[in-house]
Amino acid sequence: MRGRPGLTDEEFREAVQDALDSLPEGIAARLDNVAVIVEDRHPSGNLLGLFDPRGGLQRIIIYRELHPDAEQVKRTVLHEVGHYFGADEATVRGWGL
């Protein structure tokens, strides 16, 4: 399966990894007990990503379907990392994410 036109599955996964690699070292070091997962599509069909804090292992899920390019993937990853650190939706959007 492919992401939106222009991103193969491999390119999409690389874009997610590149976004994580772009985090400042101090931020990346504080990511603990969280899995970053790529899925094809959210059941509602309208989410780019989701931070799921429930349970023993927290998850950041990045959905392929609505991402047109690597820059949008990066924005989504950073948006969900913001939620991981406790920022609400208004705050994260205020950061331009």
Side-chain angles (χ1 to χ4, degrees):
M1 180 169 221
R2 293 178 62 104
R4 297 279 300 212
L7 287 178
T8 64
D9 288 348
E10 183 177 337
E11 289 167 337
F12 189 89
R13 290 178 187 279
E14 286 176 11
V16 170
Q17 186 61 56
D18 289 347
L20 293 169
D21 291 345
S22 77
L23 292 169
E25 187 175 320
I27 298 290
R30 293 177 49 210
L31 282 175
D32 186 43
N33 197 35
V34 62
V36 179
I37 300 166
V38 170
E39 291 186 3
D40 290 332
R41 175 180 199 272
H42 184 268
S44 72
N46 63 2
L47 285 182
L48 297 173
L50 177 69
F51 171 60
D52 179 6
R54 296 172 289 157
L57 177 64
Q58 301 173 94
R59 304 179 308 156
I60 292 174
I61 306 166
I62 308 300
Y63 300 104
R64 288 186 187 123
E65 185 176 65
L66 301 176
H67 287 90
D69 56 41
E71 184 58 34
Q72 182 61 54
V73 173
K74 181 177 181 177
R75 289 173 51 99
T76 301
V77 170
L78 298 179
H79 181 105
E80 299 309 330
V81 167
H83 288 313
Y84 169 85
F85 284 107
D88 63 16
E89 191 67 23
T91 300
V92 174
R93 288 185 184 267
W95 296 335
L97 300 172

